[in-house]
């Protein structure tokens, strides 16, 4: 590299989209177990604006200024002395450590164990849309719920970034999928493999669903509370929004789990194989340049994105 600085979007204080600043910052120095990645694309997730707003200050350790964004696809430009399995020029994708600087930047340092080779069938924009949401689905449905072939799962917000991949992952496991979303997304949900669709604006899911093995909750609140009654005895309610009540679970004879996803290069490698086999694909809502990160956050906070919002960093 001929320069020591890069363009990035950082926050210097917590607040609304206006605290996102496009500026020159130092290129990160990789640790011995890191990859230095030239970022081609980075996806925007709700956790980004929740951190920006300051909601997770008591939960995560961050120092300001902070580069946001924890979904990345790009090329390896340097590898630490302890790194094996990757070389300069490899195309990789990752969900980096959320307590380090993120991917709204031209370069990012990522622990090699958090990365995997990018799905060969995807370009960088589509690959960047995968890691955080696919890992969320994997760690919720496979690790927590232990979803098996022949079981039935109710997936809320099935057209969103997480939900759309969760539907596909559940089908790849051989499960029966009941999806909730608005009517405009019925075509997408069925295309992704949903066996039954519920328009939540017209039908209360608990009126038409019963005895499911698992509920995947990405909404929380009233939706989570109403989800208890559709589970069969021994079933499980998995949430990625807030911890379901263990007391309610015990009283109903079911199980509960709260998932805050962790990086995993091993799981991303398995996900890449599913993608390259044609069994999963990311859904893109919008692609914006890095300079429009504020607008990307506005769209994400609106809560109606169909799939993922991606920032194109370097062509």
């Amino acid at each position: 590299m001929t320069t020591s600085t890069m363009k990035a979007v950082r926050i210097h204080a917590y607040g609304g989209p206006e605290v996102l600043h496009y500026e020159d910052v130092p290129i990160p120095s990789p640790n011995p177990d890191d990859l230095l990645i030239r970022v081609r694309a980075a996806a925007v997730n709700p956790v980004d604006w929740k951190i920006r707003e300051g909601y997770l200050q008591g939960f995560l350790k961050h120092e300001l200024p902070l580069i946001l964004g924890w979904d990345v696809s790009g090329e390896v430009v340097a590898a630490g002395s302890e790194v094996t399995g990757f070389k300069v020029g490899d195309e990789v994708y990752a969900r980096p450590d959320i307590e380090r600087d993120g991917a709204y930047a031209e370069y990012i340092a990522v622990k090699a164990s958090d990365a995997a080779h990018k799905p060969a069938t995807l370009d960088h924009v589509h690959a960047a849309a995968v890691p955080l949401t696919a890992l969320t689905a994997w760690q919720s449905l496979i690790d927590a719920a232990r979803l098996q072939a022949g079981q039935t799962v109710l997936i809320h917000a099935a057209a969103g970034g997480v939900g759309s991949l969760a539907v596909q992952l559940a089908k790849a496991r051989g499960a029966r999928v009941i999806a909730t979303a608005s009517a405009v997304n019925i075509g997408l949900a069925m295309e992704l493999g949903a066996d039954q669709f519920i328009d939540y604006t017209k039908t209360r899911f608990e009126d038409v669903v019963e005895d499911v093995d698992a509920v995947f909750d990405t909404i929380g609140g009233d939706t989570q509370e109403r989800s208890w009654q559709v589970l069969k005895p021994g079933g499980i309610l998995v949430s990625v929004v807030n911890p379901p009540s263990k007391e309610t679970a015990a009283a109903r004879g079911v199980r509960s789990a709260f998932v805050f996803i962790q990086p995993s290069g091993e799981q991303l490698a398995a996900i890449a194989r599913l993608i390259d086999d044609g069994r999963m694909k990311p859904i893109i809502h919008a692609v914006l340049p890095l300079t429009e990160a504020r607008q990307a956050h506005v769209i994400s906070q609106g809560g109606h994105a169909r799939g993922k919002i991606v920032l194109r960093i370097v062509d």
Side-chain angles (χ1 to χ4, degrees), residues 34 38 51 80 217 263 290 299:
D34 280 347
R38 181 177 174 85
I51 288 173
D217 167 40
L290 181 59
I299 297 170

Side-chain angles (χ1 to χ4, degrees), residues 93 116-121 130 267-277:
Y93 73 153
H117 291 94
K118 177 182 74 64
T121 54
V130 172
Q267 290 177 354
L268 284 178
I271 290 163
R273 289 192 290 272
L274 287 173
I275 291 171
D276 287 338
D277 286 344

Side-chain angles (χ1 to χ4, degrees), residues 216-228:
F216 183 32
D217 167 40
T218 63
I219 301 173
D222 179 62
T223 297
Q224 183 183 104
E225 288 305 308
R226 290 157 49 210
S227 293
W228 292 112

Side-chain angles (χ1 to χ4, degrees), residues 131-144:
L132 189 146
T133 44
L135 287 174
T136 300
W138 186 288
Q139 292 173 20
S140 298
L141 297 180
I142 296 178
D143 293 347

Side-chain angles (χ1 to χ4, degrees), residues 13-32:
Y14 297 112
E18 70 279 356
V19 303
L20 294 166
H21 293 285
Y22 181 73
E23 58 194 12
D24 291 314
V25 306
I27 292 175
S29 299
N31 295 321

Side-chain angles (χ1 to χ4, degrees), residues 95-116:
R95 186 281 203 180
D97 184 345
I98 205 165
E99 294 192 334
R100 297 176 67 176
D101 272 331
Y104 293 5
E106 292 177 323
Y107 296 90
I108 183 175
V110 173
K111 189 175 292 187
S113 60
D114 295 347

Side-chain angles (χ1 to χ4, degrees), residues 122-134:
L122 297 184
D123 59 24
H124 287 293
V125 166
H126 285 79
V130 172
L132 189 146
T133 44

